[in-house]
Amino acid sequence: MATFTLYGPALSTYVRTVRMVLAETNTPYDLKAVDIFSDRSAEYLAKNPFGKVPTLEVDGETLYETCAIVAYLDEVVGNGVFTPADPMIRAHMRQIMAIVDSYLYAPAIGTIAIQRLIVPSQGGQSDEAAVRAAVPKVKMALEAIEAIAIGTPYLLGTTITLADFHLMPVMLYLSKTPELAAVTSQTPKLKTWWETVSQRPSFLSVTA
Ligand SMILES: N[C@@H](CCC(=O)N[C@@H](CS)C(=O)NCC(=O)O)C(=O)O
């Protein structure tokens, strides 16, 4: 089997998405810490010019961008079990992942989680106006996912897919904030989904 090295801090949502696929497939890997709260080293920027995490090294070859990493891992260590065979359901999986990346991550993590969890932990005061402005954006993104989701019990039916792994780490941070109730007030499927997937052993192992 190939040798896998994953770069990134354990607290990163996107790193957790990749780690879930590795955990679900019992794939051994090294996790190398990257401090995302200070400047990236030249060595790291040579692997990932955008300085983002995660980056995966496969036998010394570098891969970055979470969607590309998890699609690769699903093929080589997952046998494709996390990607639906049906073209429309597969498209819905990619659609949910794109919604997370394009419309959910920035207001949910970049604003609400940072303002509610990180800023106070460092002795600062949350920017209430920024949080207020982020709430409708998060609500809209979650409601768009709700409209696509099947939710019995996973986002796209009876089998867990890469879309679940993409959304779960973001939901975990939202669930630690007082904004959770407001942003999920119109998403009953997502509420039930979260009660189930948040107890999944692979998720608990990468978020411990
Ligand atoms: N498009 C990238 C986004 C990754 C991303 O935004 N990662 C965050 C952590 S969850 C990060 O690197 N933040 C540090 C920064 O923006 O400087 C991907 O899909 O991998």
Side-chain angles (χ1 to χ4, degrees), residues 122-172:
Q122 295 174 341
Q125 279 214 319
S126 308
D127 180 339
E128 294 298 332
V131 171
R132 262 197 311 278
V135 166
K137 295 179 186 171
V138 171
K139 192 168 183 297
M140 186 180 168
L142 291 179
E143 286 171 13
I145 294 171
E146 173 87 4
I148 298 162
I150 298 169
T152 51
Y154 302 111
L155 288 178
L156 295 168
T158 53
T159 305
I160 200 161
T161 74
L162 299 179
D164 297 89
F165 301 148
H166 222 62
L167 182 59
M168 288 160 70
V170 177
M171 280 300 282
L172 179 64

Side-chain angles (χ1 to χ4, degrees), residues 32-51:
K32 292 212 171 153
V34 176
D35 180 1
I36 55 169
F37 295 111
S38 56
D39 287 345
R40 252 42 106 238
S41 66
E43 190 192 353
Y44 187 71
L45 289 172
K47 299 181 197 303
N48 183 331
F50 299 100

Side-chain angles (χ1 to χ4, degrees), residues 12-15 36 40 51-54 65-67 101 105:
S12 149
T13 61
Y14 286 115
V15 170
I36 55 169
R40 252 42 106 238
K52 301 283 184 186
V53 293
E65 287 303 307
T66 304
C67 288
D101 290 348
Y105 180 87

